[in-house]
Amino acid sequence: MNRITGKVIIAGAGPGDPGLLTVKALRAVEDADVILYDALVNTTILTYAKPSCRLIYVGKRKGCHAYPQHVINELLVHHARSSRVVLRLKGGDPYVFGRGHEEYTHVAKHDIEVEIIPGISSAIAGPACCGIPVTHRGTSESLWVITGTLSDGNFSSDIKLAARSSATIVVLMGVSHLAEIAHVICELRSTAEPMAIIQNGTTNQQQAVKGPAYKIVELAEQYEIGAPAIIVIGKVVDIADAFHFLNLQEANLRLAV
Ligand SMILES: C[S@@+](CC[C@H](N)C(=O)[O-])C[C@H]1O[C@@H](n2cnc3c(N)ncnc32)[C@H](O)[C@@H]1O
């Protein structure tokens, strides 16, 4: 069978800061005839598209889906059949809780060429921009990236498995289950286990708090930290400098007076 002329590129837009878009993804944005983009894609990136490029928002934010997944899959095929380059732009990396491979297989099965461009995931860049190294010699020798919320809305039981290890744990989509996560950490690690929550990581709206597991829910409420956010758990959290965190900035200011 002959291939249809269009092409789909599934690319990561990085964690939020437009400067963290890869050069390869930027070239794809400049070249695209149609871009389907998600809620967590920084829209500054779209200003690099050519004027004739059609921009389609297909984002999903908690409880509010612009398009269900099967419609997004169909849109990719539909536009690839009539356009030269269709770019599917996703927050972070398309293969880290991004449903990138579902879209890849759907497009490929229609005999349309598909290319994957990896992106910088918020799972690593979010902690880094708060001064937290996800691994650090002598402190953490592995990293566990977990979804806090499964497709049925439940809390992932892998968090208990991870808590029994000494790994750094990074939880995406976990803010609505923060109290349950902190409870597991208090029970299976310690009430003093360092935790951080980073909202809008890497962007100029980044806000973060850190503290011991027993206190993290109170801190998140006090500083109104909400989605989109990453939860980081483990000794590496204590390595980060205080100035990255709202609660510690205030404490330092009080000490300075
Ligand atoms: C559907 S997952 C997509 C993850 C994405 N593929 C990645 O690699 O970063 C969405 C979740 O990623 C996390 N997230 C993505 N970007 C973020 C950011 N800039 N700051 C904090 N959390 C972020 C949040 O936990 C959010 O609920």
Side-chain angles (χ1 to χ4, degrees), residues 32-229:
D33 299 301
V34 177
I35 299 177
L36 287 85
Y37 65 100
D38 276 348
L40 289 175
V41 170
N42 188 320
T43 50
T44 303
I45 290 169
L46 303 174
T47 62
Y48 297 106
K50 55 194 181 192
S52 61
C53 177
R54 184 161 166 205
L55 304 175
I56 306 173
Y57 174 73
V58 292
K60 288 171 240 167
R61 275 272 162 102
K62 228 183 156 210
C64 178
H65 292 218
Y67 293 99
Q69 187 63 50
H70 73 273
V71 175
I72 296 174
N73 292 350
E74 285 311 318
L75 282 172
L76 291 173
V77 170
H78 168 80
H79 287 290
R81 282 184 169 149
S82 47
S83 303
R84 201 168 58 86
V85 180
V86 180
L87 176 62
R88 176 69 174 108
L89 204 50
K90 293 173 160 285
D93 181 274
Y95 278 10
V96 178
F97 299 119
R99 306 188 73 167
H101 194 64
E102 288 172 49
E103 295 178 11
Y104 174 92
T105 45
H106 182 82
V107 173
K109 111 181 155 202
H110 286 82
D111 205 37
I112 295 166
E113 184 187 345
V114 203
E115 180 185 349
I116 301 291
I117 302 179
I120 297 178
S121 177
S122 65
I124 291 171
C129 285
C130 273
I132 304 173
V134 287
T135 66
H136 183 62
R137 191 181 293 222
T139 306
S140 168
E141 58 199 46
S142 64
L143 167 65
W144 202 316
V145 181
I146 309 180
T147 175
T149 311
L150 299 171
S151 53
D152 60 8
N154 284 328
F155 168 69
S156 167
S157 56
D158 275 5
I159 290 176
K160 288 187 183 162
L161 292 177
R164 288 193 175 94
S165 75
S166 60
T168 301
I169 306 172
V170 171
V171 185
L172 303 186
M173 297 171 281
V175 179
S176 58
H177 291 290
L178 180 63
E180 289 154 279
I181 293 166
H183 180 73
V184 167
I185 298 303
C186 287
E187 292 233 302
L188 299 176
R189 285 198 178 175
S190 124
T191 53
E193 183 71 357
M195 288 183 67
I197 311 180
I198 305 156
Q199 179 181 19
N200 292 318
T202 80
T203 74
N204 50 17
Q205 279 122 38
Q206 176 173 297
Q207 308 236 65
V209 292
K210 75 167 175 170
Y214 80 89
K215 213 178 167 188
I216 200 71
V217 173
E218 183 190 318
L219 288 172
E221 281 169 6
Q222 185 182 347
Y223 290 92
E224 299 180 350
I225 303 290

